[in-house]
Amino acid sequence: MLDILIKAIGFIFIIIIGYIFKSKGIFQKEHARFLSFIIMNITLPCSLFSSVGHIDISSSLLMALVIGFGANILTILVGFIMAKNGTLTEKAIYMINMSGYNIGTFALPFVQSFFPSNLLAYVIMFDTGNAIMCLGGTYSVASSMVVKSKGIKIVIEFIKRLLSSVPFCTYVILFIMSLLNLTLPSQLISVTSIAGNANAFLAMLMIGISLEIKLDLSQVIKIRNILIGRYGLMILISVLVFIFLPVETAAKQMIVLSLFAPISSVAPVYSYMIDSKTPVPAAVSSLSMIISIITLTVLIIIFS
């Protein structure tokens, strides 16, 4: 228990260092974008190949994929209902910021550092289902409400974004390799592990640099509603997972950890494409990170 707590505090310490360095002007927002590019395109894929290598496809893994996809659909629907009295733009903003899970640069580094590598497969499969929506599917649905004439173009753009996502393509490659019963040569894994070992540190540092603890008081109600709605729904889904999902306890734990990941890092980007003036997405994204840091740390201590 003490070792787990020390490691969790270490993660939080790295995040704090990133935030302090940014507040002192040593790091800039652009550095977070650069680190995000490095993580998503180099260290995360390398980490996945070196840590997982091979996934034995099972019904419980497929359930994790379905839950990753279904949780996005449910949060989109709840977001739409919560903003039923708002404008079409407000409905779209709610839908985008209620859904999506930051797995690759947040939940996955946590899981990698505290649990056996064989359990990563559940998080990867959850993120595969999640990626289909958060990398473009949710934006396609939400923006079609605001700009109906661009429906087909939005779908084409969604497909392009999905196929240009290196983590998603990595998931697909791992999935295909598993179906064909293929594994990477040990020599190649030795090479990928060099970059992969840096993933957790870079991810936590990037989170610290990305944090923006600023609130627009005029938008507090919307921010509060989105966060309460999202995390309240995650609690409900987690309870249902533990009660009804017919899989081993470890699989349920990995799914629950994934559910409490912060809002996807691309949610603010898609939100600004719909309404460039709203301060809600940036505030929701930062507060979501803080809530998830605390929640995941507590859950890891409970599950370990």
Side-chain angles (χ1 to χ4, degrees):
M1 176 68 74
L2 181 60
D3 290 341
I4 294 168
L5 190 58
I6 291 172
K7 189 178 287 188
I9 292 172
F11 269 43
I12 295 172
F13 181 66
I14 296 170
I15 293 170
I16 293 172
I17 288 176
Y19 181 77
I20 291 174
F21 276 28
K22 184 191 69 172
S23 64
K24 296 295 184 181
I26 299 173
F27 289 145
Q28 307 294 330
K29 245 184 176 179
E30 291 71 24
H31 293 135
R33 295 192 188 98
F34 175 72
L35 286 178
S36 177
F37 179 84
I38 295 295
I39 292 166
M40 298 299 285
N41 294 284
I42 300 176
T43 63
L44 175 58
C46 286
S47 178
L48 291 171
F49 280 124
S50 58
S51 298
V52 182
H54 179 78
I55 300 174
D56 293 319
I57 303 300
S58 63
S59 58
S60 58
L61 283 175
L62 293 177
M63 285 183 187
L65 187 151
V66 171
I67 291 173
F69 180 83
N72 274 272
I73 298 296
L74 185 58
T75 47
I76 290 170
L77 179 60
V78 171
F80 177 82
I81 294 172
M82 288 177 64
K84 62 181 180 180
N85 296 324
T87 64
L88 290 177
T89 298
E90 288 175 335
K91 289 178 182 177
I93 296 298
Y94 265 75
M95 291 164 70
I96 292 173
N97 289 278
M98 277 284 292
S99 64
Y101 302 86
N102 187 344
I103 302 297
T105 59
F106 194 98
L108 197 61
F110 268 91
V111 174
Q112 278 182 304
S113 300
F114 292 96
F115 296 96
S117 59
N118 63 300
L119 296 181
L120 289 180
Y122 293 103
V123 181
I124 289 171
M125 294 300 281
F126 180 97
D127 198 26
T128 303
N130 167 59
I132 294 172
M133 296 305 297
C134 78
L135 291 178
T138 301
Y139 173 72
S140 300
V141 174
S143 60
S144 64
M145 296 174 54
V146 181
V147 194
K148 295 181 180 179
S149 61
K150 293 185 179 180
I152 302 212
K153 289 184 180 180
I154 290 171
V155 172
I156 294 173
E157 183 65 23
F158 154 58
I159 295 172
K160 287 182 179 179
R161 287 180 182 274
L162 200 60
L163 295 178
S164 64
S165 168
V166 175
F168 180 77
C169 291
T170 303
Y171 295 152
V172 172
I173 291 170
L174 284 170
F175 187 82
I176 293 173
M177 287 176 61
S178 299
L179 291 177
L180 299 176
N181 201 29
L182 299 174
T183 56
L184 288 177
S186 58
Q187 297 86 348
L188 184 56
I189 291 177
S190 297
V191 175
T192 58
S193 63
I194 297 173
N197 289 337
N199 188 63
F201 173 77
L202 292 180
M204 295 305 109
L205 189 65
M206 184 207 71
I207 290 168
I209 300 172
S210 301
L211 277 178
E212 289 285 350
I213 309 177
K214 295 178 181 178
L215 291 178
D216 187 309
L217 296 179
S218 66
Q219 304 288 340
V220 164
I221 293 177
K222 290 181 181 178
I223 295 167
R224 181 201 65 188
N225 289 346
I226 290 173
L227 290 172
I228 290 177
R230 176 186 171 91
Y231 284 97
L233 189 57
M234 292 311 103
I235 291 172
L236 176 60
I237 296 174
S238 297
V239 170
L240 294 176
V241 164
F242 266 102
I243 294 175
F244 296 109
L245 200 65
V247 297
E248 60 180 338
T249 301
K252 294 177 182 179
Q253 292 174 347
M254 296 305 104
I255 292 171
V256 169
L257 287 172
S258 300
L259 286 168
F260 280 97
I263 294 164
S264 170
S265 58
V266 298
V269 178
Y270 288 135
S271 298
Y272 294 142
M273 289 169 65
I274 291 176
D275 183 1
S276 60
K277 296 179 181 179
T278 177
V280 170
V284 167
S285 179
S286 292
L287 289 173
S288 173
M289 283 187 188
I290 295 171
I291 293 170
S292 291
I293 288 169
I294 297 169
T295 306
L296 285 187
T297 301
V298 172
L299 288 174
I300 287 169
I301 292 172
I302 294 171
F303 292 160
S304 299

